[in-house]
Amino acid sequence: MMVSLGVKSQDPIILNLNKPMAINFPTSPTTNDTHTENNLNWKFNGTSWIALPTPSVAGNVAYTPAGTGAVTTDVETKLRESVSVKDFGAVGNGVADDTAAIQAAIDYAESLGGGSVILPIGTYKLTSNILIDGDHVGIVGLSRGATILSDFDGNVIDVGGSLGAKTKGNFIESVTFTETSYSRTIGNPFIKIEQAESVVIRDVAFDSVTSPVYQNETLNVQFQNVHIKAHKGTAMEWRNSVDTWVTTLHIIGDNVDPSAFVTSTEIRRCL
């Protein structure tokens, strides 16, 4: 039987022919049977045994959180609980286009059923729209040291689903938003929240942006510690929404454009 080992052609291979490695495969396997021996995994394809990829080192290292009742997992699983845009190629220098990398990170978090997409400290340039349309997915900056810079005209971040299929549990936290010299048309919101439920916008700042927030057809949206400075166009526009909670909202406008426009919206607990 020939076994193919996954090694690079330039790697030296040293074999001790006096001690050949013997694998004790089952004598009567059926298709898709698996076998583990000497920390190696094999699968029977109906004709022969095929070596399966070796798990990563992180996958073989146990991780046990502190505290009573904590459950042991492995380091690889623990690391995958959060997703960094850097994992998908984002640069964060304010020059490189990070749109595709950020969207890929969001899509991956959605494929896991939810999670935080981490923006490390830096300035992330966007040249087209970002879409968050999966449940329990959001963007989290590190200590508000992450800045999203819009360099195009249009909605920058869309949060929500479709009519009759609202997303749930989305969030945007600890991020500063800005744009290139008021480059966007009034009425194209920086963040558009539509057909969404249980959304949290927390510890975010808008610095010299056009139409910062638009909200429509939502349920239970919370704004916590939001700062808007030198906006162009309406700062906050809420329409046809139920249970909008506002805690600490600072709007410093230019005394020309309205700070807020509200229609058919129930706003509760404004502090």
Side-chain angles (χ1 to χ4, degrees):
M1 177 180 297
M2 179 177 293
V3 177
S4 176
L5 299 177
V7 296
K8 299 178 181 178
S9 59
Q10 67 270 26
D11 292 342
I13 300 176
I14 301 174
L15 297 177
N16 185 343
L17 297 180
N18 294 323
K19 295 183 178 180
M21 181 179 68
I23 304 295
N24 299 311
F25 294 115
T27 56
S28 300
T30 58
T31 302
N32 293 327
D33 279 357
T34 58
H35 177 69
T36 300
E37 190 172 329
N38 296 326
N39 294 320
L40 297 175
N41 297 310
W42 308 80
K43 187 174 183 178
F44 190 70
N45 66 3
T47 304
S48 58
W49 289 95
I50 305 299
L52 297 177
T54 302
S56 67
V57 174
N60 288 326
V61 178
Y63 171 80
T64 304
T68 303
V71 177
T72 298
T73 182
D74 58 71
V75 172
E76 183 176 59
T77 300
K78 183 63 180 177
L79 290 174
R80 286 180 174 174
E81 289 181 0
S82 62
V83 181
S84 171
V85 296
K86 295 281 189 176
D87 297 335
F88 292 83
V91 178
N93 64 358
V95 178
D97 184 357
D98 290 321
T99 309
I102 293 175
Q103 187 65 65
I106 291 170
D107 292 345
Y108 177 67
E110 290 177 357
S111 74
L112 298 177
S116 299
V117 175
I118 305 300
L119 273 68
I121 294 173
T123 298
Y124 299 88
K125 178 180 174 181
L126 300 182
T127 58
S128 61
N129 172 264
I130 291 294
L131 178 61
I132 303 175
D133 61 352
D135 292 346
H136 310 295
V137 174
I139 297 173
V140 179
L142 295 183
S143 302
R144 218 188 252 181
T147 297
I148 289 183
L149 167 67
S150 169
D151 195 36
F152 71 100
D153 190 8
N155 302 348
V156 181
I157 301 176
D158 281 347
V159 179
S162 56
L163 183 63
K166 288 183 172 68
T167 60
K168 297 180 180 180
N170 300 119
F171 50 92
I172 299 175
E173 301 179 10
S174 302
V175 181
T176 296
F177 301 100
T178 188
E179 65 186 71
T180 304
S181 303
Y182 287 131
S183 57
R184 297 181 307 107
T185 302
I186 292 177
N188 291 334
F190 207 105
I191 295 180
K192 179 181 178 181
I193 309 169
E194 192 166 36
Q195 299 296 340
E197 179 179 342
S198 301
V199 178
V200 176
I201 309 297
R202 178 187 294 122
D203 295 329
V204 301
F206 297 86
D207 189 355
S208 302
V209 302
T210 305
S211 304
V213 176
Y214 174 86
Q215 174 185 334
N216 183 39
E217 298 289 349
T218 64
L219 173 63
N220 187 22
V221 176
Q222 299 183 38
F223 294 91
Q224 302 174 9
N225 195 26
V226 176
H227 296 257
I228 299 176
K229 178 184 177 182
H231 66 90
K232 182 179 179 182
T234 303
M236 306 283 286
E237 186 168 349
W238 297 314
R239 296 176 180 266
N240 310 309
S241 298
V242 177
D243 280 356
T244 296
W245 301 69
V246 181
T247 307
T248 311
L249 170 62
H250 293 166
I251 301 177
I252 305 175
D254 53 13
N255 297 320
V256 176
D257 293 322
S259 293
F261 184 86
V262 182
T263 63
S264 302
T265 297
E266 183 178 21
I267 301 178
R268 301 186 181 187
R269 197 178 178 184
C270 298
L271 302 176

